[in-house]
């Protein structure tokens, strides 16, 4: 396997005083999944076990094969079956719960909007009709560039209804990033908005979208613009641009027959950082993805129709797709959508939303939990959070301390906390405890879910001993898996798959260790991807943007283990490494990638530590950023630079 990086350094984490927390008895009695036989059932039934997941959906045509593995690593799930994702998330709930809330939305300015399933049905249909009117046909990729407003899930569902795959681009990404994704996805339609509030200020999203259209190679056929800001921001629409409100009004009351899609047809594409500087387009198929998402929303997050469930992730990323939109709506529950940041207008916000909505299941990231801890327990403690039944976390490792804090102050000391591991590519949760069955170990994600064959292996693909670091792989296909990459089959195979003696193995890119009980500890990425602020970045992509700044010669970017981006930068000898340059670097990153990519620290250094072959020792830089001990540096071509970097880091702090 490429790239070392699993160096045993973190094994201390594994050894250190472990606690095991049993699922609370009350919870187990009422849990969706409380029969431990489920593990054995999946084990003995093989892929057919996933029929349970498919059975959570309504199929237009029954599938004839659960898994077609005839041409690995190109796997196809539920072949021969036909279904429509929007019909599954909306129409089928009309019979039993048309007046139940589907979406409760809270805006940054204290606005509220609620959609019952009937409302959702009406607007999704009207917008689907509007999209058709603009010329959108089955299989046309539609790019969505919207903040957390109800029109985002509505547009996703409208696309799904007419069989047009969506390509959601996080609203905080830059014009350039949007242009790249429009071109790469070969998309001819864009749905965006006038703007949105960033704290107090009205921010112009439309001008970013306009800018992207100028930069993109492709000419769009049409764009739709949602009016989020009303009078706060006036934007003018071009001749091929249509106001969302007008389109929906013009088609109000129309119904559009949901298009029956093959289970293997594309539901959406989502761009994510890979091992090169260019993002890659992960493709998810309709049947397998939706089955896996629905099954895990029920069995891992314990969500049912009468829940009020809140996944705090932005819909611009995979968590929001799977567990903010498709999972909860497929199950017919009420999902909370929040536009703002957790500390706006104040630090009561999250707890106030949980209290006023009696949220029962809350799913967020360790990054958010760290902020909550920093702000203090007095905020959650001042609210009645007794409605909470289950807590979830995703995106990074959570420390045992943060896990306990979360359970204590948000979960009333009682609620199970599920630490869920998965990726854009896995589509849905792959490792986690089943909260009504499996004991929890704070700081470790659970064992593989039933039906997921995750292993921790060495360079040769052999399982490592318990506690030893290795590479996390998944050794058989699973329904939510990506069906391919937009960049083609070769890239898909090269990026993810290794052919071993006993079959194909999916490479996650994560380093991990597994304990005697099969619980996995994630040790971080072993490739050039960093996870910070619950986002995934490719270091080469960030570094390329920094090196574009005038005066910069070289850059290396690392995560500091605490959710921050640290950039080490060398400059031309005639350039002053001053605050102006710092700002220029940060602005450059914001411009080419988005504000989310602004580094937290920029450390100027005369040189970067390199091996004799000229490779930058990113590991060493990571250790320095984390303030950790590091080993022998004598193998470096320029060992003297390490001391200088350390003092630069100290000065800068
Ligand atoms: O490194 C793992 C980390 O996030 C990566 C996937 O990032 P992304 O595709 O953006 O999806 C994030 C949300 C699903 C993984 O390769 N990761 C995800 N969940 C966990 C995690 N690391 C530790 N613990 C987790 N629970």
């Amino acid at each position: 396997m490429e790239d070392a990086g699993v160096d045993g350094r973190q094994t201390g984490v594994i050894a250190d005083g472990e606690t095991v927390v049993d699922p609370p008895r009350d919870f187990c009695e009422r849990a969706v999944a409380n029969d431990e036989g489920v593990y054995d059932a999946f084990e003995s039934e093989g892929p057919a076990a996933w029929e349970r997941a498919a059975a959570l959906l309504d199929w237009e045509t029954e599938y004839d094969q659960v898994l077609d593995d005839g041409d690995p690593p190109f796997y196809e799930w539920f072949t021969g079956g036909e279904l429509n994702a929007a019909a599954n998330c909306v129409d089928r709930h009309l019979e039993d719960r048309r007046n139940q809330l589907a979406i409760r939305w809270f805006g940054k300015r204290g606005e509220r909007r609620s959609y019952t399933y009937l409302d959702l049905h009406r607007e999704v249909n009207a917008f689907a009709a509007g999209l058709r009117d603009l010329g959108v046909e089955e299989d046309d990729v539609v790019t969505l560039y919207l903040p957390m407003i109800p029109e985002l899930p509505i547009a996703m569902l409208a696309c799904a209804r007419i069989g047009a795959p969506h390509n959601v681009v996080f609203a905080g990404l830059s014009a350039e990033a949007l242009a790249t994704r429009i071109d790469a996805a070969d998309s001819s339609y864009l749905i965006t908005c006038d703007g949105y509030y960033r704290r107090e200020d009205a921010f112009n999203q439309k001008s970013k979208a306009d800018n992207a259209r100028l930069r993109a190679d492709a000419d769009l056929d049409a764009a739709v613009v949602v009016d989020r800001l009303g009078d706060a921001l006036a934007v003018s629409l071009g001749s091929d641009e249509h106001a969302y409100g007008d389109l929906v009004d013009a088609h109000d009351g129309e119904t559009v027959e949901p298009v029956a899609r093959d289970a293997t047809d594309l539901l959406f594409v989502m761009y994510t950082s890979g091992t090169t500087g260019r993002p890659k387009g992960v493709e998810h198929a309709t049947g397998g993805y939706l089955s896996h998402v629905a099954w895990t929303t029920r069995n891992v997050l314990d969500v049912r129709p009468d829940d009020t469930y809140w996944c705090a992730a932005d819909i611009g990323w995979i968590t929001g797709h799977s567990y903010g939109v498709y999972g909860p709506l497929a199950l017919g529950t009420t999902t909370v959508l929040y536009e703002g940041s957790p500390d706006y207008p104040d630090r009561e916000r999250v707890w106030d939303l949980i209290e006023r909505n009696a949220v029962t299941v809350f799913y967020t990231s360790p990054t958010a939990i760290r902020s909550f801890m920093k702000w203090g327990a007095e905020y959650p403690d001042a609210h009645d959070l007794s409605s909470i039944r289950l807590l979830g976390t995703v995106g990074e490792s959570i420390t045992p301390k943060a896990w306990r804090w979360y359970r204590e102050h948000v979960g009333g000391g009682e609620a199970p906390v599920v630490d869920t591991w998965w990726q854009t590519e896995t589509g849905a949760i792959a490792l986690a405890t089943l909260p009504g069955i499996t004991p929890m170990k704070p700081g470790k994600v659970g064992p593989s879910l039933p039906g997921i064959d995750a292993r921790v292996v060495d360079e040769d693909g052999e399982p490592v001993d318990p506690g030893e670091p290795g590479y996390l792989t998944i050794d058989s296909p699973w329904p939510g898996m990506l069906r391919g990459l937009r960049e083609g089959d070769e890239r898909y195979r090269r990026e993810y798959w290794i052919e071993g003696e006993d079959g194909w193995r999916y490479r996650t890119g994560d380093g991990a260790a597994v304990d005697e009980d099969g619980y996995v500890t994630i040790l971080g990425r072993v490739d050039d991807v960093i996870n910070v602020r619950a986002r995934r970045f490719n270091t080469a992509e960030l570094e390329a943007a920094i090196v574009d700044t005038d005066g910069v010669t070289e850059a290396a970017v690392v995560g500091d283990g605490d959710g921050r981006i640290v950039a080490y930068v060398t400059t031309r000898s005639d350039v002053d490494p001053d605050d102006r340059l710092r700002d220029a670097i940060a602005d450059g990153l914001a411009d080419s990638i988005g504000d989310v990519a602004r580094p937290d620290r920029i450390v100027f250094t005369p040189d970067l530590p390199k091996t004799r072959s000229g490779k930058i020792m990113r590991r060493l830089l990571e250790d320095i950023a984390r303030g950790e001990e590091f080993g022998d540096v004598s193998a470096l071509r320029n060992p003297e630079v390490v001391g200088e970097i350390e003092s630069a880091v100290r000065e800068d702090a």
Side-chain angles (χ1 to χ4, degrees):
M1 250 176 252
E2 73 182 275
D3 225 331
V6 179
D7 53 14
R9 172 160 61 89
Q10 290 102 326
T11 44
V13 178
I14 304 158
D16 137 323
E18 171 169 291
T19 41
V20 178
V21 181
D22 282 327
R25 183 170 310 160
D26 281 359
F27 181 88
C28 294
E29 279 167 11
R30 289 179 292 137
V32 170
N34 53 14
D35 172 7
E36 57 187 278
V38 66
Y39 285 98
D40 286 343
F42 268 81
E43 177 90 37
S44 63
E45 292 169 30
W50 284 108
E51 293 205 62
R52 291 171 177 73
L56 296 173
L57 306 180
D58 277 3
W59 293 78
E60 198 66 35
T61 312
E62 269 305 307
Y63 50 88
D64 26 58
Q65 202 180 356
V66 175
L67 169 67
D68 178 352
D69 56 0
D71 180 25
F74 303 93
Y75 300 101
E76 296 190 331
W77 285 86
F78 306 118
T79 50
E82 290 182 315
L83 75 167
N84 182 282
N88 270 285
C89 291
V90 186
D91 302 39
R92 65 172 173 152
H93 305 311
L94 294 189
E95 203 169 311
D96 292 340
R97 55 185 84 96
R98 71 188 66 187
N99 282 322
Q100 182 191 309
L101 291 181
I103 297 175
R104 293 209 77 178
W105 176 77
F106 294 84
K108 265 186 205 163
R109 290 289 170 103
E111 310 95 315
R112 292 188 214 176
R113 270 199 265 160
S114 290
Y115 291 77
T116 61
Y117 276 95
L118 193 61
D119 296 330
L120 191 60
H121 184 258
R122 193 171 181 105
E123 192 154 331
V124 166
N125 270 281
F127 191 49
L131 288 175
R132 279 244 175 103
D133 208 17
L134 299 181
V136 180
E137 292 180 3
E138 189 175 353
D139 290 322
D140 285 344
V141 177
V142 179
T143 301
L144 274 55
Y145 189 47
L146 290 169
M148 290 283 277
I149 53 178
E151 288 81 356
L152 175 51
I154 289 169
M156 290 162 73
L157 293 165
C159 288
R161 191 168 194 89
I162 59 174
H166 51 74
N167 169 33
V168 177
V169 177
F170 175 62
L173 289 188
S174 66
E176 190 173 318
L178 174 62
T180 312
R181 285 158 176 76
I182 289 174
D183 283 337
D186 205 9
S187 176
S188 304
Y189 298 92
L190 174 68
I191 303 171
T192 184
C193 64
D194 50 354
Y196 56 95
Y197 290 106
R198 277 187 174 174
R199 299 196 167 266
E200 290 300 322
D201 306 322
F203 170 80
N204 192 329
Q205 180 83 342
K206 174 76 170 34
S207 72
K208 270 205 298 178
D210 290 346
N211 200 339
R213 290 188 67 171
L214 293 175
R215 290 179 193 220
D217 294 332
D219 276 331
L220 295 181
D221 289 341
V224 178
V225 182
V226 177
D227 179 5
R228 163 67 185 101
L229 293 177
D231 294 339
L233 183 79
V235 300
S236 52
L237 300 186
S239 58
D240 61 354
E241 293 177 330
H242 307 264
Y244 174 91
D246 292 348
L247 264 187
V248 166
D249 284 348
H251 295 276
D252 184 41
E254 289 178 28
T255 43
V256 174
E257 200 50 39
V259 171
R261 299 282 281 168
D262 284 350
T264 53
D265 278 343
L266 186 61
L267 177 60
F268 66 86
V269 50
M270 159 123 272
Y271 280 85
T272 186
S273 298
T275 52
T276 68
R278 288 184 74 79
K280 55 195 175 184
V282 170
E283 294 186 343
H284 280 291
T286 310
Y289 169 81
L290 201 60
S291 302
H292 191 167
V293 165
W295 192 84
T296 45
T297 308
R298 246 177 86 72
N299 287 275
V300 180
L301 300 175
D302 198 56
V303 169
R304 303 150 225 221
D306 56 3
D307 275 312
T308 298
Y309 158 81
W310 183 15
C311 166
D314 195 290
I315 296 173
W317 308 100
I318 194 69
T319 308
H321 276 50
S322 300
Y323 297 105
V325 179
Y326 284 113
L329 296 180
L331 297 183
T333 192
T334 302
T335 179
V336 173
L337 205 65
Y338 176 49
E339 186 190 32
S341 46
D343 60 346
Y344 185 80
D346 53 43
R347 293 172 173 178
E348 309 286 344
R349 194 69 180 128
V350 168
W351 320 120
D352 174 60
L353 283 173
I354 293 179
E355 181 172 13
R356 73 168 62 234
N357 291 294
V359 167
T360 44
V361 177
F362 181 56
Y363 193 28
T364 190
S365 66
T367 301
I369 298 166
R370 272 200 300 271
S371 301
F372 300 152
M373 285 172 75
K374 215 176 302 157
W375 299 336
E378 62 268 30
Y379 296 101
D381 290 353
H383 293 266
D384 176 5
L385 307 181
S386 59
S387 56
I388 292 282
R389 187 176 79 247
L390 177 123
L391 296 170
T393 155
V394 57
E396 299 156 76
S397 295
I398 181 165
T399 59
K401 190 169 162 206
W403 193 101
R404 287 195 201 94
W405 187 94
Y406 190 33
R407 183 166 203 240
E408 187 60 36
H409 296 287
V410 187
E414 270 295 310
V417 176
V418 281
D419 181 355
T420 65
W421 178 96
W422 57 293
Q423 309 178 299
T424 306
E425 292 86 346
T426 69
I429 299 168
L431 301 172
T433 51
L434 288 176
I437 301 174
T438 333
M440 300 161 276
K441 297 190 184 184
K444 292 180 176 182
V445 296
S448 294
L449 285 184
I452 304 281
D453 193 4
R455 314 222 176 149
V456 181
V457 301
D458 65 16
E459 305 281 332
D460 304 317
E462 294 299 322
V464 297
D465 288 335
E468 291 299 317
Y471 301 92
L472 183 67
T473 63
I474 305 179
D475 286 26
S476 8
W478 64 98
M481 66 191 298
L482 73 168
R483 68 159 211 190
L485 283 182
R486 207 71 193 154
E487 291 69 27
D489 291 353
E490 184 40 42
R491 174 93 192 267
Y492 166 73
R493 196 195 315 247
R494 187 161 30 96
E495 187 88 29
Y496 299 111
W497 297 92
I498 313 157
E499 190 175 10
E501 272 164 24
D502 42 2
W504 290 78
R505 163 175 297 135
Y506 169 83
R507 175 166 60 190
T508 66
D510 278 7
V514 60
D515 71 12
E516 309 271 355
D517 303 322
Y519 282 65
V520 172
T521 302
I522 302 293
L523 302 175
R525 299 287 304 196
V526 293
D527 53 14
D528 293 331
V529 172
I530 53 174
N531 294 316
V532 281
R533 305 174 191 148
R535 303 266 183 281
R536 181 164 146 185
F537 298 97
N538 173 271
T539 48
E541 191 182 5
L542 298 171
E543 287 157 10
I546 297 177
V547 173
D548 263 351
T549 316
D550 193 34
V552 171
T553 46
E554 262 191 321
V557 174
V558 298
D560 75 346
D562 211 11
R564 286 184 287 260
I565 300 177
V566 181
Y568 297 89
V569 175
T570 65
T571 57
R572 252 187 1 238
S573 54
D574 60 329
V575 170
D576 256 348
D578 55 11
D579 284 344
R580 271 222 324 261
L581 185 59
R582 260 180 231 276
D583 291 344
I585 291 170
D587 290 346
L589 278 163
D591 206 33
S592 72
I593 298 169
D595 273 327
V596 283
R598 281 182 190 275
D600 300 275
R601 292 179 76 184
I602 296 174
V603 179
F604 290 113
T605 154
D607 202 358
L608 294 171
K610 296 200 182 110
T611 61
R612 288 188 209 285
S613 62
K615 199 168 178 262
I616 296 174
M617 288 285 288
R618 212 178 260 105
R619 273 274 162 185
L620 177 64
L621 291 170
E622 205 174 273
D623 286 340
I624 297 175
R626 291 171 179 225
E628 280 175 10
E629 292 285 314
F630 46 86
D632 184 14
V633 295
S634 60
L636 290 180
R637 188 171 72 189
N638 52 353
E640 69 288 350
V641 76
V642 176
E644 294 189 49
I645 294 175
E646 273 199 292
S647 51
V649 169
R650 240 177 285 127
E651 261 169 46
D652 181 61

